[in-house]
Amino acid sequence: MPYDVTFTRLETQALYDLKGPQAALRDWAGDALPDFPNRPNSKTETGGAALMFIGPDHWILRAELDAEDALEAALRPADAPPEISIVRVSDTLAVFRITGPDAVEVLAIACPMDLHESCFGADAASFTEAFGLRSLVTHCKGGFDIAVEQSFGPMVADYLTRITT
Amino acid sequence: MMQIPCPFCGARNESEFSFGGPVKPPRPEPEAVSDADWTAWLTQVPNPLGPVQEQWWHVRGCGTWLTIWRDTRSHDIVEGPGDGN
Ligand SMILES: [Zn+2]
């Protein structure tokens, strides 16, 4: 029996990989970034952009693709000082939105983390596994977003098609 | 399945990690030790019956390298990263 979930592969997102000391990144990027999340594996959101704290001195900035030009201009990756690294990685991740009554059941099988709200709150964002692949997992309204390496996109789309039909 | 404590993420499934091998003793100066000791350092992998210090890479998580003591008889992690400090 298929799971009662809906999935969509989101349009390409604007993604920036940010590394370095938080203070140096803030000095360089200024208002272009949301406030830095202070708990590991959590995110902050401002004006459609989400900043996720995914590793030591390591963040991912995610926004809609039409914000990419403005972010590129504000972040000036090529001119960044040597102690920080800003890299546009929009092409590297395929993002799937899985929603519906059984979304939590699907993720319970796909992902080894406890994704219950009490452990993985609304502002959580973490790299973990989904369907055995390295994957960035976040909540969305009514379910979860999982981002996998772009080249695995068709495979994950196939998995999700099989469980929904 | 082991739960491995990551200093950044907390306890996570073993499947998110890549094994980095046991921690070897410090590299001796080849001229200062016997050929047998030098060869042993190069080729022998620590494999005790009991606690072994090993490195793990949280490759599918936050990317941190960490060191733990794992008991080879029980898989219990007897000392996590930072526990000994
Ligand atoms: Zn970690």
Side-chain angles (χ1 to χ4, degrees):
Chain A
M1 198 167 119
Y3 287 95
D4 186 6
V5 292
T6 307
F7 79 91
T8 46
R9 180 170 172 172
L10 302 186
E11 296 291 322
T12 301
Q13 307 271 297
L15 297 168
Y16 283 85
D17 182 279
L18 314 172
K19 283 183 181 159
Q22 180 180 317
L25 281 164
R26 198 192 302 112
D27 286 350
W28 179 253
D31 295 340
L33 298 177
D35 288 342
F36 276 81
N38 47 28
R39 273 180 301 107
N41 295 317
S42 70
K43 65 175 176 177
T44 52
E45 284 179 271
T46 309
L51 186 60
M52 311 182 213
F53 190 11
I54 56 158
D57 288 344
H58 193 184
W59 292 264
I60 290 259
L61 177 68
R62 175 178 152 186
E64 294 298 324
L65 190 61
D66 56 15
E68 192 181 64
D69 288 346
L71 285 171
E72 186 82 14
L75 295 173
R76 296 155 291 149
D79 301 325
E83 71 266 29
I84 62 174
S85 152
I86 300 178
V87 182
R88 187 177 62 203
V89 293
S90 309
D91 293 334
T92 64
L93 295 179
V95 186
F96 291 88
R97 178 155 290 174
I98 305 167
T99 55
D102 286 344
V104 54
E105 303 295 335
V106 170
L107 267 292
I109 293 169
C111 175
M113 278 185 78
D114 185 350
L115 298 177
H116 189 268
E117 286 274 352
S118 60
C119 298
F120 193 82
D123 68 342
S126 181
F127 268 99
T128 174
E129 290 181 301
F131 304 106
L133 302 168
R134 182 172 193 254
S135 172
L136 178 59
V137 176
T138 50
H139 284 286
C140 68
K141 195 169 182 297
F144 297 90
D145 285 348
I146 62 170
V148 297
E149 205 174 283
Q150 173 87 355
S151 57
F152 291 118
M155 190 172 91
V156 172
D158 183 52
Y159 289 163
L160 291 168
T161 303
R162 285 166 193 245
I163 63 172
T164 49
T165 50
Chain B
M1 187 73 78
M2 290 196 295
Q3 294 263 308
I4 296 175
C6 170
F8 185 81
C9 304
R12 290 292 183 94
N13 230 37
E14 176 190 345
S15 61
E16 292 185 11
F17 294 81
S18 181
F19 183 54
V23 176
K24 297 182 81 165
R27 180 182 184 275
E29 201 51 54
E31 305 295 334
V33 294
S34 68
D35 284 355
D37 286 350
W38 174 240
T39 307
W41 185 85
L42 285 175
T43 60
Q44 289 178 9
V45 178
N47 185 24
L49 182 67
V52 60
Q53 191 178 27
E54 31 185 49
Q55 295 174 307
W56 290 81
W57 181 24
H58 198 189
V59 58
R60 289 175 171 184
C62 67
T64 298
W65 276 94
L66 54 101
T67 305
I68 58 171
W69 284 89
R70 179 179 61 88
D71 193 315
T72 55
R73 296 165 297 190
S74 60
H75 286 310
D76 286 343
I77 294 168
V78 291
E79 189 176 308
D83 287 356
N85 297 339

